[in-house]
Amino acid sequence: MSTTAKLKIASVQMVSTPDLEQNLNTANRLIEEAANTGAQLVVLPEYFCMMGLKDTDKVRIREPFGSGLMQDKLAQIAQNNQIHLVAGTIPLETKDSNKVLNTTLTFDPNGKQIGRYDKIHLFGFQTPKERYQESETIEAGNTPGLLKIHVDGQEWIFGLSICYDIRFPELYRAMGTVDCHIIPAAFTYTTGKAHWDILLRARAIENQAYVITSAQGGLHLNQRRTWGHSMLIDPWGAVLADLPEGEGYITGVLSKEKLNEVRSQLPALAHRKLK
């Protein structure tokens, strides 16, 4: 394995609507633009397919794992653009007809589905003006997610997590050593303003890994405002790219040399006592 290998990646930011077709078309357009810059792996945000007028709207469009309009479209997009696609989150069926799994699926450049992660930690937040309770419409997953890909003979290992997961560092420790943590998100403006960049930089620093996030970023038709700030952060905690608000994308390069430099100069992962 080369210690000088590099991988160009991109993160798409959206302001998704209640219209599934519109969101899929927007995602397709932005992915194509990012792929045209040379990105080899592209990430979509949480709920990219729909930010409904009410929480139960996502239950209406849920699909069985392995088939459905959304999954077929994502496979086609990955193949058309010859990229690895980490497809934000889509709602998948559960045994409970009133709930979904909030699931990240990944596809290779042939359109083959190669990875899956079901969101483990479900967001709950309440103030006099805001209330969110994901457990009312989402069934929690229970298994950490890893994605391994090979590009030009080099293996890259990614940790998969989603939004609220970033508040639980034990999840990232459970994944072991990875090159990059991929985090689709739809952080609220309130919590994002307070904690977003701090939590992301902490996850990068303590795990000595890159972190890339793909966010929702703006005011949605349901009047929910999301924080945005899709970011790429390096293993030393430096922010390499940041899109504050609105739709678009960021790009950056993962470097094995940078990972090795940080981990050799400050071998904190090797110094761990509690495991």
Side-chain angles (χ1 to χ4, degrees), residues 7 63 70 78 81 101 103 105 159 176 198 255 271 273:
L7 183 74
E63 295 180 350
M70 289 181 284
N81 292 284
L101 290 164
T103 299
L105 296 179
I198 298 169
S255 164
H271 292 160
K273 298 298 184 182

Side-chain angles (χ1 to χ4, degrees), residues 234-252:
D234 80 3
W236 194 245
V239 177
L240 304 180
D242 179 5
L243 179 58
E245 195 171 20
E247 72 173 39
Y249 62 90
I250 59 171
T251 65

